[in-house]
Amino acid sequence: MAIAAAITLPYVAVSRRSICSHRPTSSSLFQFPTSRIQQTFISKPSAVRAATNFGCRISSSMSIQAPEESPSTSFLDHKESGILHFVKYHGLGNDFILVDNRESLNPKVTPDQAVKLCDRNFGIGADGVIFAMPGTNGTDYTMRIFNSDGSEPEMCGNGVRCFARFIAELEHLNGTQSFKVHTGAGLIVPEIQEDGKVRVDMGEPILKAPDVPTKLPPNKDQSAVKAKLDVDGLIWNVTCVSMGNPHCVTFGTESSKGLIVDDLKLNEIGPKFEHHAMFPARTNTEFVQVFSPSHLKMRVWERGAGATLACGTGACAVVVAAVLEGRAERKCTVELPGGPLDIEWREADNHVYMTGPAEVVFYGSVPL
């Protein structure tokens, strides 16, 4: 049995927000008129609380019923001109606005509009906007993403799991499904499993320092492993890995025995890593605590999104770095603020495999 709740978004004017300025301009106003968003909640009080946290008002006429059909079946088929229909998903709290863009390789939303949509106070609220586009080069689909700051990353691990579930929903597919997805990081193959989780072949990690990219000098087989990084006079030991996007993984400073990640002031230290001169394309940064060779805990500062509850590519990079530094086995559970991911770096094919959830939050529409 499900709880069907009608959610109403109040009329607000959203101003363009950027890293440099929060002042609105007359040409940048993006308005959300009152609209109806139909959401199906599995009967959990936490789901209702989550909807309230989005700044939405749940009508008091909530009723308990068994819907005759999935709300997405008719909703996602709507094609009104000038209206953006979307589904919000999250993977361990790393949340995204998913857009059906299968008719074109041109995104329906501009980077500036993505910034406004992702705003958690005046917009929908998300870590990024993901577009499901036609496949290229023999793939089934193309995935593009704009971060909450308008930048475009090569790939997103939690995002590609949400992408796979979104495609299955769009195509009305059930059961085990796999797709070949073209991304800025190359071919990615997600597989929806019987339990609803998504297992993703993330491909081979890139370890050659200039290809990550990092300007840190290689110290192990052309890679930067447990290299010294000076951040405001404090020396950190870092290992640099690319999963199609750059990652800087650290297990602590030169003088520390290990990190207690919950004690980190991430908003202070994260940007210093992201914009460090040693990372010409900026970097995602993972701070890691080791509980055992098969249990790691991390917090992440994402390039272009800041502190997030989860980062799939980051969890993959963490396991690779932990193996290279002799701290962990090739198969680990990585604990993130939003929940755990199962990561395996297979010796047989050198590919990294990530398994985790992807769940619908709500369906909605806004005018563009």
Side-chain angles (χ1 to χ4, degrees):
M1 182 176 290
I3 299 175
I7 299 177
T8 302
L9 291 180
Y11 182 96
V12 294
V14 180
S15 61
R16 183 177 185 271
R17 301 179 70 179
S18 66
I19 294 174
C20 301
S21 172
H22 297 292
R23 293 176 298 174
T25 62
S26 59
S27 61
S28 66
L29 292 179
F30 186 62
Q31 296 182 329
F32 294 77
T34 299
S35 60
R36 305 291 289 181
I37 297 180
Q38 188 67 30
Q39 178 177 5
T40 296
F41 292 122
I42 304 303
S43 53
K44 296 180 181 178
S46 60
V48 178
R49 288 196 300 271
T52 306
N53 290 337
F54 296 139
C56 303
R57 178 172 58 82
I58 303 178
S59 68
S60 59
S61 59
M62 183 183 295
S63 61
I64 299 177
Q65 61 184 29
E68 294 181 1
E69 62 177 355
S70 167
S72 64
T73 303
S74 58
F75 180 83
L76 291 175
D77 291 336
H78 292 175
K79 303 294 182 183
E80 294 94 333
S81 176
I83 300 294
L84 177 72
H85 295 289
F86 66 89
V87 183
K88 183 170 176 177
Y89 277 79
H90 81 89
L92 298 179
N94 197 192
D95 54 346
F96 306 95
I97 299 163
L98 276 293
V99 177
D100 182 3
N101 214 120
R102 290 174 296 167
E103 297 176 356
S104 173
L105 286 171
N106 296 316
K108 291 181 178 180
V109 171
T110 67
D112 280 350
Q113 288 173 327
V115 172
K116 298 159 193 169
L117 290 169
C118 290
D119 190 292
R120 296 190 183 278
N121 297 109
F122 297 102
I124 298 163
D127 291 320
V129 180
I130 294 176
F131 307 91
M133 295 178 164
T136 59
N137 301 323
T139 59
D140 300 310
Y141 302 97
T142 295
M143 170 181 154
R144 288 184 64 182
I145 177 171
F146 291 152
N147 282 326
S148 58
D149 72 348
S151 61
E152 182 172 1
E154 298 86 353
M155 228 286 288
C156 175
N158 289 316
V160 78
R161 296 200 313 276
C162 295
F163 180 94
R165 291 289 300 271
F166 183 55
I167 288 296
E169 193 171 13
L170 290 173
E171 303 285 6
H172 308 297
L173 303 174
N174 296 307
T176 302
Q177 304 288 337
S178 65
F179 315 102
K180 294 180 180 178
V181 181
H182 175 73
T183 73
L187 175 66
I188 300 293
V189 183
E191 178 183 87
I192 301 173
Q193 301 181 320
E194 286 294 339
D195 62 3
K197 290 186 177 180
V198 183
R199 176 176 171 271
V200 186
D201 179 352
M202 301 289 286
E204 298 185 56
I206 298 168
L207 301 176
K208 189 175 179 181
D211 296 338
V212 171
T214 179
K215 293 181 180 179
L216 287 169
N219 59 5
K220 182 179 180 181
D221 299 329
Q222 303 184 65
S223 304
V225 178
K226 211 173 182 180
K228 309 301 180 186
L229 181 70
D230 187 331
V231 181
D232 283 351
L234 189 61
I235 306 301
W236 294 76
N237 293 324
V238 302
T239 294
C240 299
V241 179
S242 172
M243 293 303 306
N245 55 351
H247 293 270
C248 171
V249 181
T250 180
F251 297 86
T253 63
E254 190 176 40
S255 58
S256 69
K257 295 182 179 180
L259 284 176
I260 300 177
V261 295
D262 289 338
D263 292 344
L264 287 171
K265 296 180 180 179
L266 201 57
N267 287 333
E268 294 180 11
I269 191 66
K272 296 176 181 179
F273 277 83
E274 178 183 354
H275 298 282
H276 199 286
M278 289 295 101
F279 305 110
R282 298 190 290 163
T283 189
N284 303 281
T285 309
E286 288 77 34
F287 301 87
V288 192
Q289 184 173 350
V290 180
F291 289 115
S292 76
S294 61
H295 181 193
L296 309 174
K297 182 177 182 178
M298 67 171 256
R299 290 181 68 191
V300 59
W301 182 268
E302 289 198 53
R303 179 186 61 167
T308 61
L309 294 179
C311 177
T313 55
C316 294
V318 160
V319 172
V320 172
V323 171
L324 292 174
E325 292 194 20
R327 299 176 184 272
E329 302 166 352
R330 286 180 170 264
K331 193 173 183 179
C332 294
T333 295
V334 181
E335 183 183 339
L336 304 100
L341 286 173
D342 294 322
I343 308 295
E344 180 181 6
W345 183 19
R346 285 190 187 170
E347 195 167 10
D349 59 7
N350 198 40
H351 284 219
V352 181
Y353 294 85
M354 170 189 63
T355 303
E359 299 181 8
V360 170
V361 182
F362 63 82
Y363 304 85
S365 59
V366 291
L368 290 178

